[in-house]
Amino acid sequence: MAETAFRGTPVHTSGALPAVGSQAPDFELTGADLVPVALADVRGRRAVLNVFPSIDTGTCQASVRRFNELAAGLEDTEVVCVSRDLPFAQARFCGAEGIEDVITASDFRAPAGRGQDFGTAYGLALVDGPMRGLLARAVIVLDADGRVLHTQLVSEIADEPDYDAALAVL
C-alpha cells in the first residue's frame, strides 16, 4: 500500500507501483471505440502511462493536454491516458479539445474484468478517501520491451505530474 493525498488528507492505494527495472504487469483496458487496449499493443515502442482519477477534473484535463503536446514530438513512443472514466467521456473530452496524439484507455470494468484489473496490478486503485474506487495520479514510463524506466505517484492528487522527469528517461 502506498500513500498519496487528496486536498492534504492522506489516502491510500491498493499497492505499490511496479519497481523500476521490472517487467510491467500486463493489462487490458477499454479504448474509446470499446476495443481492448493492452500492454501488448504498445510493445515495440516506448510507452508513457498517464494515470489519473477522472477526465472531468481540471488537473486531469491538463495532464492529458500536456502529454498530447509532448507525444507529438516523441518518436517511437505512445502515451496511454488511463482512468476509470467511461470510454465515452474520455473520447468526448479528447474530441472537444482536438487531442489526437494520445491513446485513451478506461479501467471502468474493474474489478469485474477478467484477471487482475489495471488499478490493482499497478497498485493505483484508491482504497479510501472521497475518491475511493478511482485511480491515483501517476506516471509510468516503459521501454520498448515493457520494462519500467520511471514511476511517479504524485504526492497530492490535485497536482500535475513531473513531466520533465518522465521525459528525461526517454
Side-chain angles (χ1 to χ4, degrees), residues 37-160:
V37 173
L39 179 60
D41 295 332
V42 296
R43 186 119 12 216
R45 294 180 305 275
R46 300 173 304 177
V48 177
L49 306 180
N50 174 34
V51 186
F52 52 88
S54 175
I55 197 66
D56 288 323
T57 67
T59 305
C60 299
Q61 292 171 354
S63 74
V64 173
R65 283 186 198 104
R66 182 70 178 129
F67 274 119
N68 182 64
E69 292 169 10
L70 297 170
L74 298 173
E75 290 187 33
D76 297 320
T77 304
E78 295 286 349
V79 176
V80 183
C81 294
V82 181
S83 70
R84 286 194 171 160
D85 291 296
L86 290 176
F88 314 114
Q90 294 172 336
R92 182 178 57 248
F93 171 77
C94 290
E97 295 282 325
I99 293 173
E100 300 175 347
D101 292 319
V102 299
I103 298 168
T104 57
S106 175
D107 194 30
F108 84 101
R109 291 193 168 123
R114 292 166 274 145
Q116 192 175 45
D117 63 88
F118 177 90
T120 303
Y122 281 76
L124 291 171
L126 293 169
V127 297
D128 56 18
M131 298 181 90
R132 182 182 69 240
L134 297 177
L135 301 176
R137 184 176 317 286
V139 176
I140 302 125
V141 180
L142 309 176
D143 71 11
D145 296 320
R147 292 223 174 269
V148 178
L149 298 175
H150 167 80
T151 63
Q152 179 197 15
L153 174 62
V154 178
S155 60
E156 169 59 58
I157 291 172
D159 293 342
E160 291 183 56

Side-chain angles (χ1 to χ4, degrees), residues 10-43:
V11 293
H12 302 92
T13 66
S14 58
L17 284 166
V20 171
S22 69
Q23 187 67 40
D26 283 332
F27 60 79
E28 184 176 293
L29 300 162
T30 304
D33 52 4
L34 300 179
V35 173
V37 173
L39 179 60
D41 295 332
V42 296
R43 186 119 12 216

